[in-house]
Every structure is written in C-alpha cells, then in structure tokens.
Amino acid sequence: MSLRASSCLVAAGLLVAAAALGPMVRAAPKPALREGARLIPRWPRVRLPLASAAQARRAMRAGVELLNPVGVPVPGVLALRGTHLDFEPARPLAGCSVYTLLLRAEGHGPLRIRLRTGCSRWSPPLQIDQHAHARQPQYAAGDVHLAATARGGVVAVWSQGDGRRSAVFSSRRLADTGSWTPPRRLGRNAPGSDELPAVATLGTGQVLAAWVHVRRASAMLLAQCLGNGCVPQRLDRAGLRRGPASVRLAADAEGDAVAVWEQPWQGHGAIWAAHWSAARHRWSPARLLAAGRRGSYAPVVAGAGDDRFAVAWERGPVGHESVRARRWRRGRWSAPHRLSAHDVRAQQPRLALDARGDLAAAWVQGRGAAQRVAVRRMVWPHWTGSSFVLRAHALHAAAADPALAFDAAGNLALAWEQQRARLRPFRIEAARWPRAAQLPGSVQRLDQPDGRGAGHPVLVADPAGNLLCAWYQLGAQGLQVWMARFDASSLHWQAAQRLSQPRQTVRASLPALSVDTAGSVTAAWQQYNNWRNIIVARRLP
C-alpha cells in the first residue's frame, strides 16, 4: 500500500482521456497506464487540472466525486484553486486499491477516471512483549488482541506470565514514530491472575480492555480504558457462587460499548452484559440476558454506529445446542430470538453489523462429518432475512470456526475451516455475499495447497472494501501464520503469503488483525522462540 504521502498528483496522472472531456480539459499526451489505472499518492490530495478557471468553476458546479473500489464516496473537501480542482480526502486513501474519480461534465456524460494507489510491503516481524524475559518460560505470552486507534495507531493486548502468575499487558504502536511502547501491565498489581483479555476501540479513538481476574476459587470481570487516569472497574455481578468464564467486547462509532460474558446463574450457564455509555462515561450494572436449566454458553457481540449492538450465544445441552440472539438499541435489549433452525444442532455463533444496519450471523450446524456453515443476513431491527447453508465438497466433510466481516458497501465476507473429506486436514475457504445478491458467491480456497492443515481464520475489511484473512497452517516449515488479501477492484483473492518467519520459529499461531481508518493493517500472533511463546507484530502501511 502506497506511502507517497507528501506529493500531489501531477497533471499527466489524471488526463487519461482528454478527448472524452471535450474542451474542458487541457490536451495532454495520454500516459502509460498501470493495470488500467494511473498510480496516485494516498495523501494529501487528488488534483484535476483544467484548461481555464471558468471551466474549473463549471466542473465544480457540475460535481466531482471520488469513489472507493466498492462504490462508496470518499469523504473529503473539494476546493477550486485557479485552473485546478483539488479533492482533499478526509483521511489517507487505502493502498493497493483502484479509486474512481467521477467528473460530471456539462454537455457530456459522467467521466470516470480510474486511479490506483501504490502498494507497499509488510514491515519486518517485531517482538512487542518484554524482550528482557525472552528466555524465561515463566513469562510465556499468548492470546493477543488488536484494536486500531485514531490517526493510525494500534493497541495490542495479551496475556502473559509475570514470573509467578498470569497478567494482562498492553503495548501501543505510535503512528508518528512507528515504534511500540514498552509493555504496560493493566489492572492493579493485586494477588491473583489476570487472563482472557478482550479489547475494542470506541468512536472517540479511546480503547477499552476487559479481562477476567482470578483469585483462589473466585473470579471477577474487570474493564479499563487505556490512558492516563484510567482505573479498572468491576462489571460482573458480585455475590454469585462462580465468576465469569470469558468476555467479549464490541464498540460503536458513537463511543458506546457492550461487554458480554458467560457466568453461571442458579447452577446453569448464563449470559450477562454491561453497557458502556460515552455520555455518562460509566458502565451500567450487569444485566442477565439468558438463563435457564438448558444452559447458555459462548457469547459473541458485534457493534455498529448509533448505539446498535447484537449478542448471540449457544443454548442447550451438549448435542442439542441452538443459536439465540438479542439486540441492544438506545438503552433497551430486545427479547431473545432463535436464529438457527429447530431441527439441527447449532454451535460456534459469530456476528457482524454494518454501518447501514445489516446484521449477519453465522454458525456451524449439524453433527460430526455433516457439519456445515450456515449464514443469515437480516436488516435492522428485524430478525427476518436470507439464510444459506454453505455446501461441502463431499458428503463426509466437516466445517468449523466461521468468521464474518462487512465492507463499507455492506457486502458480507465469510471465511471458515473446511474439510475435503473425513479425516482429511482442514483448509481455509472463503465466500463473499454482495449486498444486492440473494445468495453468496462462489467458494474459494485461501490456504496453501501443500499444507497439512489450517485453522483459526480471522477476517477484516479495510475502508476501501478490500478484505484480509489470516490463519495458521502446518507445513514443511512447521506451524506458520499466513495471510490472503481480497482485492475489491478485481474481485478476486490474491495468493497467500506467509507472515511469520520460519527462520525464527516453527510454531506460530492464533493471529489477530486490525485495520485503521487509512487502510493500514496490523497483524499480531504468538510464536515459540525455543524458550517460551512471545508476541510478534507486523504492519502493512
């Protein structure tokens, strides 16, 4: 993704069709094209030179718009500067992407000029946990999570031993220097262990983290904003016989957030939630979302703009699970709703919300080798919508661990683990469900064909509509982390590339991905350094 951030677009870079503009544009030699589009910088502006100031004023009245690869207008400011029109994006354009400059000329149909931002390479792998303890097994690290911050920063949160017990640490990548801050321990240095962290970015750019604090036979759920003056707050309900088992976080564009967790109630698994209000700057009391003798487990949560959240979980005894969900909207939770069919077993729920109001849910349904990934799209605030079960390649071919992501135009992407046949290793497959389509598109394999099994896919979308999927895969060089990119301009998945380095480890796994508002990607994972697991990060600017 291009880093030519300080230069402007030269005139020849845009005049790819001078004749089509008629007299409005100064004639210029047609430049050589690169893959049908002219290379441009990501920042700070796109310049359109015209033949005269009068023509520039007419063009500005007619309208100039910059569209990203999935057709969504790029926010920015259009300015008239003599004989030039300058479009200044509100944020850098995503790299390695084709944008369309739409010029509505007087007396002509709209002219579309394709502009490609340059591509760049991943930064070298960098250990971000404490280097001083790299050869001390009691400081093993893992379970890393990422959250993008404002202005190109990113926060990593992970669980790591402190020499005696487990603790939760964080490190922040500084956008101005590109360096990672020294690891900082979250919470109070009190007796007990901290584990199972989660992290989310609020619309204000502030980052929230949550984790489970275990002391002797009891546990509690703590949350803390990452910044000066922030202190941990307890979220779960005190006085219960057993504490929370895990936590998930989601935030919206307005600065609100929801934490969900599993905590037994009256001897059975139950789902609880707490809501963070940006206006009140505090957490609500814990709310019981699902309880009963059948038990509820494995909650997940997704958030979107304007204080909209959805929570899903498994309900029922082993072998007879179903997927249930509730919505949060402006201070109220809806009644529970069953998403999965009544006659099949359903597990491993996943959720995604897009900015326009679509809700997507995926889960694994069926038993044993007959497990399939089911996906359902719904329009907020209704539960009705299109459902689809992804077909397997063979009768005895199980699926597992789905992942979901919406792009800026509301197109839905799916990735999951899939077997070709019974007892065969899992592979990573993906499909895309365009917003206007009735069913998902064709299924594509993402992992290396010569691998010996792959798992744990994670999926994100950048602001331009490109998709990135990461996973771990066993091969001739051990367990390594891989990544594939979906180009929204050409509508195809590019070849997978390895993120971890075989010279450094033969055991890298559990990747996490984060994309900032400029489309830059950060990947992190845990890998074994012959002494302990460390946390490694790379960035694609």
Side-chain angles (χ1 to χ4, degrees), residues 374-463:
V375 60
R376 184 172 175 183
R377 296 188 65 161
M378 297 152 279
V379 178
W380 193 279
H382 308 290
W383 292 113
T384 57
S386 301
S387 298
F388 189 78
V389 178
L390 295 163
R391 296 180 180 273
H393 299 284
L395 180 62
H396 300 289
D401 202 10
L404 294 174
F406 275 112
D407 67 22
N411 305 306
L412 179 65
L414 308 91
W416 66 95
E417 300 175 16
Q418 180 67 61
Q419 281 183 312
R420 271 287 189 174
R422 188 178 182 182
L423 303 180
R424 298 285 294 176
F426 280 92
R427 52 195 281 178
I428 304 300
E429 297 191 341
R432 188 168 175 266
W433 193 337
R435 183 178 181 86
Q438 295 297 317
L439 300 173
S442 60
V443 174
Q444 299 186 43
R445 181 176 184 177
L446 303 187
D447 64 311
Q448 288 294 97
D450 58 351
R452 304 170 189 167
H456 188 71
V458 289
L459 189 64
V460 294
D462 73 12

Side-chain angles (χ1 to χ4, degrees), residues 14 76 108 166 172 205 215-216 219 259 270 283 339 370 376 404 440 464 494 510:
L14 275 176
H108 300 272
S166 177
R172 183 183 296 265
R215 184 181 181 186
R216 296 176 183 171
W283 288 94
L339 297 181
R376 184 172 175 183
L404 294 174
Q494 299 168 344
L510 301 180

Side-chain angles (χ1 to χ4, degrees), residues 39-117:
L39 189 68
I40 65 170
R42 290 178 63 187
W43 188 261
R45 61 181 172 265
V46 176
R47 170 162 288 186
L48 178 65
L50 300 174
S52 68
Q55 291 175 354
R57 288 193 295 270
R58 290 198 298 270
M60 188 167 182
R61 288 195 301 268
V64 177
E65 200 170 33
L66 188 65
L67 306 178
N68 70 15
V70 291
V72 176
V74 176
V77 177
L78 183 65
L80 177 62
R81 306 185 189 281
T83 60
H84 295 78
L85 287 179
D86 283 353
F87 181 84
E88 300 184 5
R91 59 184 64 94
L93 305 179
C96 217
S97 303
V98 175
Y99 287 78
T100 301
L101 188 68
L102 184 63
L103 175 64
R104 297 178 177 88
E106 294 179 357
H108 300 272
L111 176 69
R112 298 176 181 270
I113 305 174
R114 299 178 69 212
L115 312 168
R116 175 179 288 278
T117 55

Side-chain angles (χ1 to χ4, degrees), residues 8-57:
C8 299
L9 180 64
V10 297
L14 275 176
L15 302 181
V16 296
L21 276 175
M24 290 190 61
V25 177
R26 182 187 299 114
K30 183 176 180 179
L33 300 183
R34 179 182 176 184
E35 297 181 16
R38 189 61 186 167
L39 189 68
I40 65 170
R42 290 178 63 187
W43 188 261
R45 61 181 172 265
V46 176
R47 170 162 288 186
L48 178 65
L50 300 174
S52 68
Q55 291 175 354
R57 288 193 295 270

Side-chain angles (χ1 to χ4, degrees), residues 333-517:
W333 287 101
S334 68
H337 181 84
R338 181 169 183 151
L339 297 181
S340 58
H342 288 268
D343 56 347
V344 294
R345 180 188 188 187
Q347 310 169 80
Q348 304 177 31
R350 304 290 187 267
L351 287 176
L353 272 169
D354 82 340
R356 301 188 185 188
D358 272 6
L359 170 64
W363 58 87
V364 175
Q365 70 179 35
R367 301 171 184 272
Q371 288 184 172
R372 304 289 182 264
V373 171
V375 60
R376 184 172 175 183
R377 296 188 65 161
M378 297 152 279
V379 178
W380 193 279
H382 308 290
W383 292 113
T384 57
S386 301
S387 298
F388 189 78
V389 178
L390 295 163
R391 296 180 180 273
H393 299 284
L395 180 62
H396 300 289
D401 202 10
L404 294 174
F406 275 112
D407 67 22
N411 305 306
L412 179 65
L414 308 91
W416 66 95
E417 300 175 16
Q418 180 67 61
Q419 281 183 312
R420 271 287 189 174
R422 188 178 182 182
L423 303 180
R424 298 285 294 176
F426 280 92
R427 52 195 281 178
I428 304 300
E429 297 191 341
R432 188 168 175 266
W433 193 337
R435 183 178 181 86
Q438 295 297 317
L439 300 173
S442 60
V443 174
Q444 299 186 43
R445 181 176 184 177
L446 303 187
D447 64 311
Q448 288 294 97
D450 58 351
R452 304 170 189 167
H456 188 71
V458 289
L459 189 64
V460 294
D462 73 12
N466 305 303
L467 302 167
L468 295 105
C469 182
W471 64 91
Y472 63 76
Q473 185 167 7
L474 181 62
Q477 295 172 309
L479 199 63
Q480 302 292 334
V481 171
W482 291 76
M483 187 277 300
R485 179 179 183 270
F486 177 83
D487 188 326
S489 307
S490 60
L491 298 180
H492 78 273
W493 284 93
Q494 299 168 344
Q497 64 180 108
R498 187 170 45 232
L499 293 182
S500 56
Q501 299 293 325
R503 292 183 179 181
Q504 299 176 0
T505 186
V506 294
R507 196 172 74 195
S509 62
L510 301 180
L513 290 176
S514 178
V515 180
D516 63 26
T517 55

Side-chain angles (χ1 to χ4, degrees), residues 128 144-150 152-158 168-175 180-181 184 186 198-201 205-209 224-227 512-514 516 522 524 535 537 539:
I128 62 174
V144 62
H145 300 267
L146 296 173
T149 65
V154 65
V155 168
V157 175
W158 66 90
V168 172
F169 291 85
S170 72
S171 178
R172 183 183 296 265
R173 183 189 180 276
L174 304 177
W180 289 84
T181 62
R184 173 190 174 191
L186 301 183
V199 67
T201 305
Q206 188 180 39
V207 176
L208 286 174
Q224 177 182 330
C225 60
L226 303 188
L513 290 176
S514 178
D516 63 26
T522 301
I535 304 299
R539 186 168 174 84

